[in-house]
Each structure stands twice: as C-alpha cells, then as structure tokens.
Amino acid sequence: MDPHIRHWKVAIERFCAAPDPDYREMAKMVAEIAATDIDETLRHAAAQVLPILRQAALKSADRRTKSMAQRRLGIVSDALHMLSAPRFGRRGLTPKVLTQEEQYRQLLGLPLGRRLAATEVQQAFKRAAKTVHPDGGGNGAAFLELAAARDALIKHH
C-alpha cells in the first residue's frame, strides 16, 4: 500500500473522531489528494469534497455545512479504503491469452469448452453475419474475418 494512502486514511479517521476538527487542514489535505496521480476515482472524489470543506473552513460556516462536509469526506474515505483493501482471489491476475481457435469461437459466439458440430458453426456464422455483412450495415473486413473463423473451425472439426 502506498504510504500516502495510509497517511490520508489515518488523518481522515482522526479528523472524524476529533471533537472540534480543523476543516482548513482537512481542505489542504483533500486538495493534495485531488492533485495526485495515484487513482482517478480518488482524485474525482477529492475534487467533489473540496468545495464543501472549504466552505466549512470559513469562520461563518454553520453547523449544517460542517456536518455535510464530514459526511462528504466519507466519499474520500471510501475511495481510500478501496485502494488499501486487500484483493483476494483472482482479481489481480491478467486475463488468459486465448488461442486462435478460442478467438474464432468467441468471434462467432460459440462456447469455448466443448466439441462443435459443423452445422453448429455454420448456424453461428449465419447469426453473426447478419450484422457484420456489408449489405447489412457492417464492413467487408469484419465479414471476411468472420468467414475465416468459420472456415478454420469447420476445417478443424
């Protein structure tokens, strides 16, 4: 985890737990978050929260504005939590590289894991060709690619 993220999370937790929080300091920190390039979602969340924090930092700010600023700060806190939470399972893995046959099957909308009959391939080709054919509003290169996929799958099986 990025040390900035940990620092920002702790600062927000302290801010929310403080009996008389310093909105000016929190606005400076949120402006810093909005200027970073760590994550686009985090920057966007900080940019949304910044105006209300600046209003709450004014001496003339009422209790309602300060309460709203604290609630909106939850958006930044949630974004920081998403960045720092552990990712379990297969989320961080890169997708499997498909073989040529699997790409052909995907192009025709056919299942990947089972044996196919020639008639099944032909039917899938006809279904896909309706939208890709140049007479149907598609383009010629895509149609030729579709026909090549059909020919390769029929020849293979």
Side-chain angles (χ1 to χ4, degrees), residues 122-143:
Q122 185 63 28
Q123 287 174 347
F125 169 75
K126 285 182 180 180
R127 231 184 350 261
K130 288 179 183 177
T131 58
V132 179
H133 193 277
D135 292 342
N139 65 17
F143 180 73

Side-chain angles (χ1 to χ4, degrees), residues 26-147:
M26 191 51 55
K28 286 179 187 177
M29 188 187 80
V30 171
E32 177 188 334
I33 293 172
T36 65
D37 60 349
I38 292 176
D39 183 58
E40 184 178 347
T41 306
L42 180 61
R43 280 195 320 267
H44 185 66
Q48 283 182 337
V49 173
L50 196 54
I52 192 72
L53 274 174
R54 286 180 176 155
Q55 285 180 353
L58 299 174
K59 291 192 184 266
S60 61
D62 59 348
R63 193 180 86 240
R64 186 171 151 240
T65 304
K66 291 180 179 183
S67 172
M68 185 178 292
Q70 276 193 335
R71 280 185 280 146
R72 291 252 178 103
L73 194 58
I75 298 170
V76 175
S77 180
D78 290 345
L80 287 169
H81 177 71
M82 291 301 292
L83 288 174
S84 64
R87 295 186 176 176
F88 298 105
R90 303 175 65 97
R91 293 182 195 155
L93 296 178
T94 58
K96 177 186 161 194
V97 177
L98 298 176
T99 64
Q100 189 68 35
E101 181 182 348
E102 289 172 335
Q103 289 175 359
Y104 289 152
R105 286 175 177 241
Q106 200 172 43
L107 187 64
L108 291 171
L110 292 167
L112 298 178
R114 65 179 178 85
R115 189 169 168 87
L116 299 170
T119 57
E120 195 174 7
V121 173
Q122 185 63 28
Q123 287 174 347
F125 169 75
K126 285 182 180 180
R127 231 184 350 261
K130 288 179 183 177
T131 58
V132 179
H133 193 277
D135 292 342
N139 65 17
F143 180 73
L144 290 175
E145 186 179 349
L146 199 64

